[in-house]
Amino acid sequence: MGNRVAARLLAVLWATLWLTACGGGSDNEAAPAGEAPSDYYLWNVASSNWGYWHWLAVVDPARPGMPRHSILMTAADGSPAMPRGVGGTRLDPVGQRVTQLGTTRLFYLQQGRVHTLDLAIRRDAAPKQLSSITDGCWIWNTYPLDAAGDDAWAVVETAGPDGRCDDYLDNTYAGVRTTMNAATPAMALPGGLPHAMLALPDEHGRALGLLVHTGNQLRLYDTDLAHGTEVAGGEAITAIWQVGLLAGERKLYLGVWADGGNQRSLRVLSYSGQAAALGAGVMTFEAPQAASARGDWGTHYFADGRKLYQLTAGGHALLASFGAGEIQQITPTERHVVVRLRDAASSTWSTWSVAKAGGTPIDLATPESGMNGSAYESVVHWGTVAGDRYFFFSQDAHGLGSIYSVDADGRNAQTWASGVAYAGVLARATPPAGQWWEQISDVIYCVPQAGRTDCDGGTMKQLNAATQATTTLGTLPRSGKASRTLQYTFAWGFAGGPFSIGAQLYDSEADTHAYDLFTATADRAGSLQASTYNYGAP
C-alpha cells in the first residue's frame, strides 16, 4: 500500500501544482478583474506516514503558522485518499493576456464522500460535500468549465458491489460537479470511465460543451452531461489527444488514432455549443505520439518524430527538422522554441532550439552528464524559461547538483549554483501581452549543511533569474535522528508573493515517510515558516 500510495500522491501533487487550467462559466460569483495568485489559500498534503493517513493542509498566507483547514482524507475503505486541484486563469482575449491564478479549488474524499473547497480568500468558503456518494475511492481527474475554476466536474471512482476500493474489477465511475450538494445524486458517466474528456471553450474560457470519448465514438455533451450527440466523423476512434486549441475560431486540433492505432493523423474538430464535426486528416503522423505546447496567444507547437510544426489559425507548417531522435519535450521561449530529443537506438538525449520565425536549428550543447567535467547521474530539464533563457538542473545519486542556463540562441551558458538541491520555481503570473507559455522569475533551491548530502537542516534560497540576486528564505529544521534524511523539497508559486514548499523526510530505521508544508514569501529574507510539523514525530 505504502509505495503505491506514495507514487499516486507524487503524481497528483505534480499534476496539480504545475497545473495551467482553462475553462469558462460559474455557479459562484465571478472572479474580480484584479484577482491574483496571492488571493488564494496555499495548500499541500501533510502526513506522518504515507501508508497510514493524509491530511489536507490549507494555509492563509497572512497567517502561515496555523493551517486554516486540516482535513483527514480517506476513501470509503479507510485507506488514505488524495486531493485533486483545479487550476484557474484570468483571460483577456482583447488584450491577449492571461493571468495564472494557481490552484483555485480542491476536490477530495473524506470517509468516501466527495468534498470541494474553494480556495479564494475573499470568500473563505467552508468545505462542501458534493453528491450523495458515500463509497468514493479515488478522484481521477477534474474538468473546469470556466477560466477561474469556479465551476468544474470531477470524475470519481467508487467501490463496486463488494464495497472494496482495491478490487478494481467491479468498481464504477461517476461525475460530481461544484453545483451539487450532499443530497444530489452523482451523475452516472455515459459509457463508464471515458478514454478522454475535453472541455470545448469559447475565447473567454467558458465551456460550450464537453467532448467525450467512450468506446470507439466521440460524442458532444452539454456541460450538464445530460444530453449527448454523436460527433460527425467521430466513429471508429481508438484514442485522441489534444494538439492545439484555437478557441476564438472554435477549433480543436486533435491527434487521432483510428483502426486500432494503425492510422494516426492530425484532425480538426469544429464545434459550437450545439454541434461538433471532426474533419478528415490534414496530416499523417509518422511517430506513435506527438508532444505539443502552447506558444503565443494564437500559436501552438507540436512534434512528429524529429519534426517540429507550428500551428496557427492559418493551419500547420513545418518549422524545423532536427537530428537523430524523437522530440519528447517542447518549450517556447521569447524568440525561440527549445526541444528535447531522445535517440532510442543510443539512449541519448540532446537539446536544440530554432527561432520562431524559422531558420537553422541550434544545438544548445546542454550537458547530459554534467558541466565542466563533473559527473552527474542525470540532468533534469523541467522546461523552464525566463525571457529567452532556458534553465536546466543536474543531479547526482543524492539529488545534489547544479543549476544552469543557456540563451536559446546558444550563447551565454552559465552555472548559477552548485552543490545544491533544486526545489522548484516561481513563475510570472502574467506574461507580456500576446504570450501564453509559462515564464519563471525565480529558482528555489536548498543548500545542505556542511557534511550532508540532503536538506535536513538545510538553507532555502531564492535566485532571481533576471538579476542573479539571492535571498535567504530561512533554514529547515533538523530532524534529530541519524536515520532520517530530507529526500526532497518541492516549491511552487508566483513572483513577489507567498508560496508553498513541500518537504519529504524519510526514516530508514522505521521505513516511514513524513510530509510537511512550509511557506515563504518571495524576496523576503527569513520568511520561511512551518505550517505543519511531522519531523519530530517518533
Side-chain angles (χ1 to χ4, degrees):
M1 168 66 77
N3 289 338
R4 180 172 172 267
V5 169
R8 276 192 162 187
L9 174 59
L10 283 174
V12 171
L13 289 178
W14 278 77
T16 298
L17 293 172
W18 286 86
L19 191 60
T20 302
C22 177
S26 171
D27 60 301
N28 297 321
E29 55 184 305
E35 197 148 276
S38 58
D39 296 322
Y40 293 87
Y41 291 124
L42 303 175
W43 71 278
N44 217 311
V45 173
S47 174
S48 66
N49 189 333
W50 272 347
Y52 293 101
W53 52 262
H54 302 151
W55 292 90
L56 175 60
V58 178
V59 175
D60 184 342
R63 291 172 288 277
M66 179 64 68
R68 181 70 179 82
H69 297 282
S70 187
I71 301 168
L72 180 64
M73 300 178 292
T74 53
D77 62 358
S79 61
M82 316 296 176
R84 282 280 184 181
V86 178
T89 58
R90 191 175 69 244
L91 300 178
D92 173 14
V94 177
Q96 294 192 345
R97 285 185 177 274
V98 56
T99 297
Q100 303 295 339
L101 300 176
T103 303
T104 60
R105 175 178 296 278
L106 292 167
F107 289 85
Y108 62 92
L109 294 174
Q110 192 172 27
Q111 296 180 324
R113 293 172 171 83
V114 185
H115 292 75
T116 189
L117 181 60
D118 180 353
L119 296 179
I121 295 174
R122 63 189 175 84
R123 287 195 283 263
D124 193 26
K128 174 186 175 184
Q129 183 176 335
L130 303 177
S131 84
S132 55
I133 286 178
T134 60
D135 57 351
C137 296
W138 178 257
I139 297 175
W140 272 90
N141 212 341
T142 60
Y143 303 90
L145 300 176
D146 63 16
D150 290 331
D151 191 5
W153 282 98
V155 172
V156 182
E157 181 179 343
T158 57
D162 62 3
R164 294 176 52 186
C165 288
D166 59 354
D167 185 0
Y168 308 113
L169 295 179
D170 69 345
N171 287 1
T172 57
Y173 302 89
V176 299
R177 190 177 178 181
T178 50
T179 52
M180 295 179 175
N181 58 41
T184 310
M187 173 67 70
L189 291 179
L193 181 67
H195 303 310
M197 188 158 74
L198 301 172
L200 302 175
D202 64 13
E203 61 272 25
H204 298 282
R206 180 181 296 273
L208 302 175
L210 292 164
L211 180 69
V212 179
H213 178 213
T214 55
N216 62 355
Q217 176 69 50
L218 297 182
R219 290 178 172 83
L220 174 66
Y221 283 85
D222 59 21
T223 54
D224 293 330
L225 285 176
H227 304 286
T229 58
E230 293 187 353
V231 172
E235 308 84 13
I237 303 297
T238 305
I240 63 170
W241 69 93
Q242 181 171 319
V243 173
L245 172 67
L246 300 176
E249 286 75 35
R250 307 291 193 269
K251 290 183 178 180
L252 175 65
Y253 283 76
L254 294 171
V256 177
W257 281 21
D259 189 24
N262 294 318
Q263 298 177 11
R264 301 186 294 269
S265 60
L266 179 68
R267 299 171 69 176
V268 184
L269 181 87
S270 301
Y271 64 88
S272 67
Q274 293 75 39
L278 185 65
V282 296
M283 70 168 279
T284 299
F285 286 112
E286 299 174 2
Q289 287 288 353
S292 62
R294 185 77 182 250
D296 300 318
W297 187 268
T299 306
H300 292 261
Y301 299 94
F302 69 93
D304 181 25
R306 59 190 181 90
K307 297 177 181 178
L308 178 67
Y309 290 85
Q310 188 179 63
L311 177 64
T312 64
H316 69 283
L318 179 66
L319 185 62
S321 183
F322 299 92
E326 293 188 356
I327 297 173
Q328 305 292 315
Q329 178 181 322
I330 302 172
T331 305
T333 71
E334 190 174 89
R335 296 184 296 276
H336 294 78
V337 183
V338 177
V339 299
R340 291 269 293 149
L341 296 99
R342 182 179 184 273
D343 185 356
S346 61
S347 297
T348 59
W349 291 78
S350 59
T351 309
W352 294 71
S353 71
V354 64
K356 290 181 176 179
T360 303
I362 303 165
D363 184 358
L364 296 185
T366 60
E368 302 305 320
S369 58
M371 186 171 276
N372 301 326
S374 302
Y376 289 112
E377 183 178 85
S378 63
V379 175
V380 183
H381 293 253
W382 295 123
T384 50
V385 300
D388 208 42
R389 179 173 292 171
Y390 177 77
F391 283 79
F392 55 102
F393 315 93
S394 68
Q395 61 185 28
D396 60 18
H398 301 288
L400 300 182
S402 299
I403 301 172
Y404 303 117
S405 73
V406 61
D407 290 352
D409 62 5
R411 297 182 297 176
N412 301 321
Q414 185 175 355
T415 303
W416 292 69
S418 297
V420 302
Y422 164 78
V425 296
L426 304 182
R428 295 178 62 181
T430 305
Q435 298 179 8
W436 190 288
W437 72 94
E438 177 188 283
Q439 290 204 31
I440 68 167
S441 61
D442 305 271
V443 178
I444 308 299
Y445 63 94
C446 167
V447 180
Q449 283 192 327
R452 294 193 66 99
T453 57
D454 70 325
C455 285
D456 188 18
T459 302
M460 298 301 301
K461 289 182 175 287
Q462 170 192 345
L463 178 66
N464 186 285
T467 66
Q468 300 188 39
T470 300
T471 301
T472 299
L473 300 170
T475 301
L476 293 166
R478 289 290 305 272
S479 63
K481 285 184 67 176
S483 61
R484 293 181 174 178
T485 55
L486 187 61
Q487 290 184 315
Y488 77 92
T489 56
F490 184 83
W492 172 249
F494 293 91
F499 62 96
S500 63
I501 302 173
Q504 177 195 327
L505 189 81
Y506 175 64
D507 191 324
S508 59
E509 183 179 291
D511 193 23
T512 58
H513 296 82
Y515 199 90
D516 276 304
L517 169 62
F518 293 82
T519 63
T521 300
D523 308 316
R524 186 179 299 174
S527 60
L528 181 71
Q529 291 193 53
S531 297
T532 67
Y533 189 66
N534 292 304
Y535 277 78

